[in-house]
């Protein structure tokens, strides 16, 4: 029988990796398919995992296996504290699901940097910088020009899903990796970002409706551009809720101005005159026309002085907090479509290109995409089909 090869790993690194994603012993052991007693023993300095077992722990914690061989646990990791939540929800202790989504995105970003190095691809740099004191309409015009999305293109998208795909592609082309998770409660997080270059990351909640994700995506991209201009995105000020933070206010205003440029939006709204008075049907038709939620459309009308703040407050009360946000149920999603939605087209392309050139193993490609090799050909077809 072949001798079992153990990994020389310090117990404190095993503990740090587990606690960094807010996992208890029982949950971590279940994900790694080992016993709680065995994991507790390793963390207590009794014995060590084998290389395959360590790989399973890395998958559970979304850590590259190399991190377990560091001399000591990394210091200074501070997950972003501001997440885009539903209005009125106060921040608390982050859930294990949210921490795991952040860790997974960080792991994928590091993998992307490695893959780009293997492939000899240049690492893009975002040059546009924003300041929170900029006039939202001016900043929004700069963002739209930077992304190359025209108003006519926006109107031609035939559904909220098409709008989400269009904005996502435009932002990914700037060197941003966009991932989705469906395991975090919507009340805890609609979107968040890791804004540092190179390769900033946006995480969206797939529980949100497509037009909700569109606004969250633009909001988080604005945070990246504000961060690029030297303005931190993770500072919590006193007891203010997230939507009251100065940078949140600026990001919301610039995102709205990017999505709905004043002149073009008002020209479209002129065909739905009763929308300014809060008529639901007119607001829905206007929102469908410009590919945003009715709430975003009405809020923009208020900002532009065409609707009264009191109308907006009353409509928010009538609608309730989630009516425009909760995604409607549907049939099963094909696996290739789901993988591209969660992992993003940019990351998926990198992995499959590296795999096709035999720069990474089948196992590594499967781990990166959370997909069985049997799905690779269908993923390629889906990737090439749009």
């Amino acid at each position: 029988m072949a001798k079992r090869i153990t990994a020389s790993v310090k117990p404190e690194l095993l503990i740090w990796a587990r606690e960094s994603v807010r996992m208890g012993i029982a949950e971590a052991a279940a994900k790694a398919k080992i016993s709680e007693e065995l994991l507790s023993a390793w963390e207590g300095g009794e014995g060590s995992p084998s290389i395959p077992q360590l790989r399973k722990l890395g998958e559970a914690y979304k850590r590259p296996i190399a991190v377990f061989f560091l001399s000591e646990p990394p210091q200074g990791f501070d997950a972003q504290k501001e997440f885009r939540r539903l209005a009125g929800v106060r921040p608390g202790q982050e859930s294990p699901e949210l921490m795991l989504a952040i860790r997974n995105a960080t792991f994928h970003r590091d993998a992307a940097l490695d893959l780009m190095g293997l492939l000899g691809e240049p690492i893009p740099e975002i040059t546009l910088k924003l300041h929170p004191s900029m006039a939202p309409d001016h900043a929004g015009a700069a963002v739209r020009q930077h992304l190359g999305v025209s108003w006519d293109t926006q109107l031609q998208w035939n559904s909220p899903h098409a709008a989400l795909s269009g904005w996502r592609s435009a932002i990914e082309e700037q060197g941003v990796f966009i991932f989705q998770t469906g395991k975090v409660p919507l009340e805890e997080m609609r979107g968040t970002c890791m804004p540092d270059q190179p390769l900033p990351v946006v995480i969206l909640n797939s529980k949100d409706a497509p037009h909700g994700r569109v606004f969250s995506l633009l909001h988080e991209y604005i945070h990246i551009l504000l961060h690029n201009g030297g303005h931190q995105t993770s500072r919590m000020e006193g007891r203010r809720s997230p939507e009251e933070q100065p940078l949140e206010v600026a990001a919301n205003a610039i995102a709205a101005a990017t999505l709905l440029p004043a002149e073009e939006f008002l020209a479209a709204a002129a065909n739905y005159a009763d929308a300014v008075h809060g008529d639901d049907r007119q607001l829905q038709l206007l929102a469908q026309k410009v590919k945003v939620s009715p709430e975003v459309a009405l809020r923009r009308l208020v900002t532009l002085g065409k609707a009264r703040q009191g109308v907006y407050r009353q409509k928010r009360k009538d609608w309730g907090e989630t009516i425009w946000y909760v995604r409607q149920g549907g049939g099963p999603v094909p696996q290739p479509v789901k993988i591209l939605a969660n992992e993003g087209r940019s990351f998926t392309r990198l992995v499959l290109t590296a795999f096709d050139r035999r720069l990474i193993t089948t196992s590594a490609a499967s781990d990166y995409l959370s997909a069985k090799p049997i799905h690779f050909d269908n993923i390629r077809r889906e990737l090439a089909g749009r």
Side-chain angles (χ1 to χ4, degrees), residues 359-375:
L359 298 173
I360 59 175
T361 65
T362 303
S363 176
S366 182
D367 288 345
Y368 286 146
L369 296 178
S370 299
K372 295 179 179 179
I374 194 174
H375 293 299

Side-chain angles (χ1 to χ4, degrees), residues 9-21:
V9 180
K10 292 183 178 180
E12 55 265 35
L13 279 159
L14 293 174
I15 296 171
W16 163 80
R18 175 176 58 78
E19 291 183 344
S20 69
V21 290

Side-chain angles (χ1 to χ4, degrees), residues 8 53 100 151 162 168 171 214 217 247 249 276 319 372 376:
S8 180
Q53 288 170 329
L100 191 57
W151 181 249
R168 183 173 181 174
I171 292 173
V214 166
L217 175 58
L247 284 175
V249 173
V276 299
W319 290 333
K372 295 179 179 179
F376 286 2

Side-chain angles (χ1 to χ4, degrees), residues 9-20 63-78 103 106 110:
V9 180
K10 292 183 178 180
E12 55 265 35
L13 279 159
L14 293 174
I15 296 171
W16 163 80
R18 175 176 58 78
E19 291 183 344
S20 69
R63 295 276 184 186
I65 193 171
V67 81
F68 294 103
F69 296 98
L70 296 173
S71 59
E72 60 184 19
Q75 301 295 319
F77 173 73
D78 181 22
R103 176 54 54 207
T106 304
D110 292 343

Side-chain angles (χ1 to χ4, degrees), residues 257-370:
T258 302
L259 282 168
L260 300 173
E263 183 177 349
E264 293 87 344
F265 175 58
L266 290 178
N271 297 314
Y272 307 92
D274 288 338
V276 299
H277 304 301
D279 181 87
D280 276 351
R281 180 59 179 162
Q282 293 274 286
L283 280 170
Q284 288 176 5
L285 290 172
L286 174 59
Q288 289 170 8
K289 175 72 174 177
V290 298
K291 311 305 184 297
V292 298
S293 71
E295 191 242 346
V296 167
L298 181 56
R299 185 169 59 196
R300 184 67 168 145
L301 287 170
V302 171
T303 301
L304 295 172
K306 298 300 181 180
R308 292 185 293 108
Q309 183 70 34
V311 171
Y312 174 72
R313 285 196 297 265
Q314 183 60 48
K315 294 308 297 182
R316 282 298 301 270
K317 182 179 179 181
D318 293 344
W319 290 333
E321 291 289 350
T322 61
I323 189 169
W324 303 121
Y325 302 134
V326 178
R327 184 182 55 162
Q328 299 299 312
V333 178
Q335 188 71 2
V337 175
K338 183 177 180 180
I339 289 165
L340 281 177
N342 289 341
E343 309 300 340
R345 303 181 74 85
S346 294
F347 183 74
T348 302
R349 180 192 62 78
L350 272 177
V351 172
L352 290 180
T353 301
F355 171 70
D356 290 340
R357 295 184 187 177
R358 299 184 179 183
L359 298 173
I360 59 175
T361 65
T362 303
S363 176
S366 182
D367 288 345
Y368 286 146
L369 296 178
S370 299

Side-chain angles (χ1 to χ4, degrees), residues 126 143 146-147 149 165-178 202 214 217-222 224 346:
I126 301 171
V143 174
H146 170 71
L147 294 176
V149 178
S165 180
W167 284 112
R168 183 173 181 174
S169 293
I171 292 173
E172 282 187 328
E173 287 174 5
Q174 303 304 316
V176 178
F177 280 80
I178 301 167
V202 171
V214 166
L217 175 58
L218 266 295
H219 174 100
E220 297 305 332
Y221 187 57
I222 300 305
I224 290 170
S346 294

